[in-house]
Amino acid sequence: MFGATEPLDTRDATPIATAPITRHVRGNDRDKAKPVTTGTADENAPDWAAVLIRIRDDRDEAAFVALFQHFAPRVKAFLMRSGADAAQAEECVQDVMATVWQKAAQFDPTRASAATWIFTIARNRRIDALRRQKRPEPEDLPWGPEAEPHQEDRLGLQQETKHLGEALASLPAKQRDLIEKAYFGDLTHTEIAEATGLPLGTIKSRIRLALQRLRHAMDRK
Amino acid sequence: MTTIRHHLTDGLIIGYSAGTLPEAVNLIIATHVSLCDDCRAAVEAHDALGGAVLDGTEAAKLDEGCLDATLEMIRAMDTPAPRDIQMPQDPVAPGPLLDYIGGSLDAVKWRPVGMGVKQAILKTSPDATARLLYIPAGTAMPDHGHRGLELTLVLQGAFQDDEGYFARGDIEIANADLHHTPVADISQDCICLAVTDAPLRLKGLARLAQPFLNI
């Protein structure tokens, strides 16, 4: 298995970029779609959306192992920062990653990156486990089988997500800390109201466009 | 989709995305987002920020056997869950609300509260209260005092108050300092989903109603 070469502890996660599976996936993508010009250090960063699509479409266990090795340790850390103890977090990680496998068909790469989508699953699991509440979700807007998302939209969204990650990383420590705490569920409502935001306008517009296309596709049915 | 003029604040969107709000507040947000693609895009953009936080989190060490246990789980679930296709099932109540009213507006057990107005309290966690309101066309709601945050989402008909005109999909976000007397539009009976917080337990929630300067 591709993933078998990966150490379980991905504390220094960058070596994952050399995993054969991710190179292979990126290579395929480049053949199909316009290359994304990044020119930054993580040019070789794995395209996790493509890995997730292989899980979605091919039920590819090797792809799942690669995704697990990158995200499961982060999901565990996220849950622990959110107030779970180690044993609880460990159990939730397994649930979260199994849900990723089970619900992969709901992943829409024009509206979310793999990290974003996995975050929403982990967050919902946290609400369920720590607060014993269910979380009402908006009505789903599904792609019909005849309306596969455009490569361009997918790459555009992934690109915006990458920029957002970079913007977050380059914030002053104090502000970044505030945003992280908000997502770890560690701020009071008053503090959240004071958390100044990142510029989310571009990614918002892109998602808005993807939603517009969805509506058109639904109307045509 | 109709044009929606009154939207969520960024504070509520962050709270929804971060997963820190009471169930009743999540319910009204999910219901509004089902009708409003602008706010849906804003929520998903904030989810992207959550994804960036997750991705930037320093990885924790997993127990040995975590991967194997998970692989065992996924092998046991050989048939993937089919894509949930939730086409709108009710012209008035969006999907997330249907889950709380037994699948249909006809199933709602209304209780009269005077002046022809009826309400039904929905079962959520106790840190905030969600209720459906039925206001006959042309009726004025009594000036109801709310001490904390009050969110009102129009599902059918419309109402007018000092803050403006609210039609299907519009959400009014009122703090304790707003004294309002909504009047239902004459054209149709008005159905709203309204959420109030429990001010003593959730001090500060009302702050989320204030618009940010920075986003």
Side-chain angles (χ1 to χ4, degrees):
Chain A
M1 258 186 278
F2 299 116
T5 56
E6 291 294 316
L8 257 182
D9 181 4
T10 52
R11 203 171 293 271
D12 299 307
T14 34
I16 266 193
T18 60
I21 178 175
T22 52
R23 254 195 215 149
H24 177 68
V25 168
R26 295 265 310 187
N28 269 355
D29 264 11
R30 288 214 181 90
D31 296 342
K32 278 190 266 173
K34 271 193 272 177
V36 180
T37 45
T38 56
T40 58
D42 51 357
E43 172 77 14
N44 290 322
D47 180 350
W48 293 117
V51 176
L52 196 38
I53 285 168
R54 284 179 55 188
I55 296 172
R56 186 187 74 181
D57 296 346
D58 307 332
R59 310 308 283 162
D60 183 334
E61 212 175 280
F64 180 79
V65 170
L67 193 81
F68 183 99
Q69 285 176 339
H70 179 75
F71 284 106
R74 288 173 171 76
V75 169
K76 183 174 181 179
F78 170 79
L79 292 166
M80 289 177 71
R81 292 281 305 266
S82 303
D85 63 38
Q88 221 173 3
E90 186 78 16
E91 197 192 316
C92 287
V93 164
Q94 295 177 18
D95 286 347
V96 167
M97 296 312 292
T99 304
V100 167
W101 175 266
Q102 196 178 26
K103 293 196 171 168
Q106 290 173 17
F107 174 63
D108 176 354
T110 68
R111 283 161 55 202
S113 71
T116 299
W117 192 64
I118 294 170
F119 158 75
T120 63
I121 294 173
R123 171 201 61 205
N124 293 359
R125 189 70 186 84
R126 181 189 76 198
I127 294 172
D128 185 45
L130 297 184
R131 297 172 60 198
R132 308 206 177 280
Q133 288 182 15
K134 60 174 178 167
R135 179 180 190 272
E137 295 281 338
E139 262 171 22
D140 198 12
L141 298 176
W143 284 102
E146 75 282 5
E148 269 302 307
H150 296 285
Q151 275 294 326
E152 239 180 79
D153 287 350
R154 175 171 105 61
L155 292 175
L157 190 277
Q158 305 306 321
Q159 188 70 1
E160 287 306 330
T161 308
K162 190 167 152 294
H163 289 155
L164 185 59
E166 288 161 0
L168 178 65
S170 64
L171 282 178
K174 203 177 158 190
Q175 198 185 348
R176 192 174 65 239
D177 188 53
L178 202 60
I179 290 173
E180 285 174 358
K181 274 185 168 167
Y183 283 90
F184 295 137
D186 208 14
L187 287 188
T188 66
H189 295 299
T190 308
E191 286 170 322
I192 284 187
E194 280 158 8
T196 49
L198 280 167
L200 292 175
T202 332
I203 197 162
K204 207 188 291 183
S205 319
R206 193 164 275 284
I207 295 169
R208 188 72 180 83
L209 270 176
L211 290 172
Q212 244 160 19
R213 282 196 226 271
L214 262 177
R215 294 280 178 202
H216 283 306
M218 284 165 76
D219 286 348
R220 279 202 308 270
K221 277 183 206 166
Chain B
M1 298 209 118
T2 51
T3 309
I4 291 171
R5 290 193 179 76
H6 301 276
H7 297 274
L8 299 169
T9 60
D10 287 316
L12 287 168
I13 289 168
I14 292 181
Y16 183 68
S17 178
T20 53
L21 298 173
E23 186 179 352
V25 180
N26 284 339
L27 172 61
I28 198 168
I29 291 174
T31 307
H32 172 77
V33 164
S34 298
L35 299 171
C36 177
D37 280 354
D38 287 332
C39 288
R40 189 190 287 265
V43 164
E44 291 179 6
H46 283 80
D47 287 348
L49 186 52
V53 168
L54 173 69
D55 215 28
T57 305
E58 198 183 322
K61 193 164 166 39
L62 298 174
D63 289 357
E64 214 164 308
C66 187
L67 173 60
D68 287 341
T70 311
L71 286 176
E72 217 166 286
M73 282 169 82
I74 69 167
R75 284 170 190 153
M77 44 172 77
D78 48 358
T79 36
R83 190 83 168 82
D84 289 338
I85 298 192
Q86 293 183 333
M87 297 307 275
Q89 292 161 11
D90 187 294
V92 176
L97 179 59
L98 285 180
D99 293 345
Y100 283 79
I101 58 173
S104 157
L105 266 183
D106 298 333
V108 174
K109 292 185 183 67
W110 296 103
R111 285 171 191 283
V113 292
M115 317 261 298
V117 177
K118 297 181 288 185
Q119 74 166 14
I121 300 204
L122 310 181
K123 195 171 181 293
T124 63
S125 63
D127 40 5
T129 304
R131 73 191 78 213
L132 272 181
L133 289 170
Y134 189 102
I135 310 154
T139 304
M141 283 284 283
D143 186 359
H144 52 296
H146 49 86
R147 288 184 296 165
L149 177 68
E150 185 184 50
L151 308 171
T152 311
L153 172 66
V154 179
L155 300 170
Q156 175 188 295
F159 71 79
Q160 171 92 46
D161 68 10
D162 296 348
E163 298 296 300
Y165 184 80
F166 296 80
R168 177 167 166 84
D170 286 330
I171 187 165
E172 178 168 62
I173 297 167
N175 277 321
D177 49 358
L178 180 77
H179 264 269
H180 61 152
T181 313
V183 180
D185 195 275
I186 196 73
S187 61
Q188 200 180 7
D189 292 349
C190 181
I191 298 177
C192 296
L193 175 63
V195 168
T196 45
D197 68 334
L200 294 177
R201 298 190 54 181
L202 274 162
K203 228 171 156 187
L205 190 61
R207 284 294 312 277
L208 298 188
Q210 289 162 13
F212 288 177
L213 300 173
N214 254 359
I215 295 187

